[in-house]
Amino acid sequence: MTQAISRTSLRVVSLATALCAVATTGVLTIPSASATARTGSPSSLQATPSESCTSKSGAKPTVVLVHGAWADSSSWNGELKLLREAGYPVRAIANPLRNLTTDSENVADFLRTLRGPVVLVGHSYGGSVITNAAAQVRNVKALVYVDAAAPAVGETNGSLSGETSALNAPDDTLFDDVAYPGAPAGQKDLYLKKNIFLKNFGSDLPRDQATDLWASQRASSTAAFGTPSKYAAWKKIPSWYFISTGDQIITPQSELMMAHRAKSKITMFKGGSHLTLISHPEAVTDVITSAICSVR
């Protein structure tokens, strides 16, 4: 079942409240402030979490944010600010972008340093990482996928982009590849070409901002996309899925398949891009908040 919420309703009722109201229906559809994203002015979907949730033990869950490929932890700045203002412990950590197995182990090692429940959030390739990392620890109580991949055992991140993904074009039109020390045979670092980054990756961002993000992107090893997943944490851990209909990197169709397979609570965001976490952090934060409030 899909429930639409009007812009007028959003001005009166916080999106977090709306999410709670449809928690049992499976899919929530919310509109995008696409014109706002082009101008760079504050989004009309502002909905700072209105209350701070705690677990049964009285501890507030720690939110751990894991970025994806061709990005870094600063891509979570909007969500980090909103969550911190709401009183949640939150960390946006570095994802090595080297290899799914070792990247996941790196995140799992960090999670073991935290006390109390954790809500683990992943964007893009970060979704594959949290799918594997969460299965290796005991403190993750909720998973949140933001325009992300959620592989099953044996699947690779690169196989989940979807039939109409912009990444299905020839590699030499998509990437600038660079050798790196210690790389496994045949593996290289990949940088997204400028036209792909602006047109397909961050298409709803102001051009100057997207250009800055392209210029400062972190390279991702080809091994990150070709390593089979060893775990599928979503089989045992409750999950939430934020899907932007304007995502051209991991298609909404592919994300919906993964979300239904994981029995996730699904939010469809009309518009956006693969970087909706940057252009509309309020909408993403409210989904994270819904996951936080489920931890009891």
Side-chain angles (χ1 to χ4, degrees):
M1 176 179 178
T2 300
Q3 177 171 340
I5 298 178
S6 69
R7 293 178 187 273
T8 302
S9 297
L10 284 170
R11 295 191 186 100
V12 179
V13 182
S14 79
L15 187 53
T17 302
L19 283 167
C20 293
V22 298
T24 60
T25 66
V27 180
L28 167 69
T29 302
I30 58 175
S32 163
S34 56
T36 299
R38 288 195 295 271
T39 63
S41 57
S43 169
S44 63
L45 290 177
Q46 290 178 358
T48 301
S50 58
E51 62 177 280
S52 185
C53 301
T54 59
S55 67
K56 286 182 178 179
S57 66
K60 291 181 180 178
T62 299
V63 182
V64 177
L65 308 167
V66 181
H67 66 83
W70 307 301
D72 60 27
S73 56
S74 68
S75 58
W76 292 112
N77 281 353
E79 289 81 1
L80 192 149
K81 180 176 184 292
L82 290 168
L83 290 165
R84 189 177 65 247
E85 288 176 349
Y88 297 115
V90 57
R91 299 290 298 273
I93 63 173
N95 182 357
L97 308 179
R98 297 289 85 190
N99 175 294
L100 178 57
T101 300
T102 56
D103 292 348
S104 302
E105 290 171 350
N106 184 284
V107 172
D109 285 342
F110 176 80
L111 296 174
R112 292 186 184 100
T113 70
L114 302 176
R115 301 182 66 179
V118 169
V119 173
L120 189 56
V121 187
H123 170 245
S124 189
Y125 167 69
S128 293
V129 173
I130 69 170
T131 296
N132 282 262
Q136 302 175 56
V137 297
R138 296 182 178 181
N139 53 344
V140 176
K141 304 304 180 183
L143 298 167
V144 183
Y145 294 93
V146 179
D147 293 318
V153 174
E155 290 180 337
T156 65
N157 188 92
S159 70
L160 295 170
S161 296
E163 292 183 2
T164 60
S165 169
L167 296 183
N168 289 331
D171 285 356
D172 61 356
T173 68
L174 295 171
F175 309 115
D176 295 314
D177 59 75
V178 180
Y180 65 91
Q187 303 300 324
K188 293 185 177 181
D189 267 345
L190 301 178
Y191 290 88
L192 277 182
K193 288 183 178 292
K194 183 177 181 180
N195 64 312
I196 300 299
F197 199 106
L198 271 60
K199 180 182 178 181
N200 307 112
F201 197 72
S203 55
D204 75 325
L205 295 172
R207 187 176 181 85
D208 285 349
Q209 184 181 13
T211 300
D212 287 345
L213 291 170
W214 162 77
S216 60
Q217 69 178 286
R218 285 185 54 205
S220 300
S221 172
T222 51
F225 307 111
T227 305
S229 179
K230 289 186 175 182
Y231 304 97
W234 44 261
K235 287 188 175 182
K236 295 183 178 180
I237 301 174
S239 60
W240 283 252
Y241 232 108
F242 180 97
I243 301 172
S244 298
T245 63
D247 192 342
Q248 300 175 51
I249 300 300
I250 304 178
T251 66
Q253 293 78 12
S254 181
E255 291 180 25
L256 274 171
M257 177 277 291
M258 292 182 280
H260 286 303
R261 179 173 67 181
K263 297 180 173 58
S264 304
K265 294 179 177 64
I266 302 168
T267 296
M268 296 294 295
F269 183 87
K270 291 187 176 180
S273 69
H274 195 57
L275 294 182
T276 304
L277 78 166
I278 295 177
S279 59
H280 295 284
E282 301 89 354
V284 173
T285 299
D286 276 297
V287 175
I288 297 172
T289 301
S290 182
I292 295 169
C293 291
S294 75
V295 179
R296 299 299 187 190

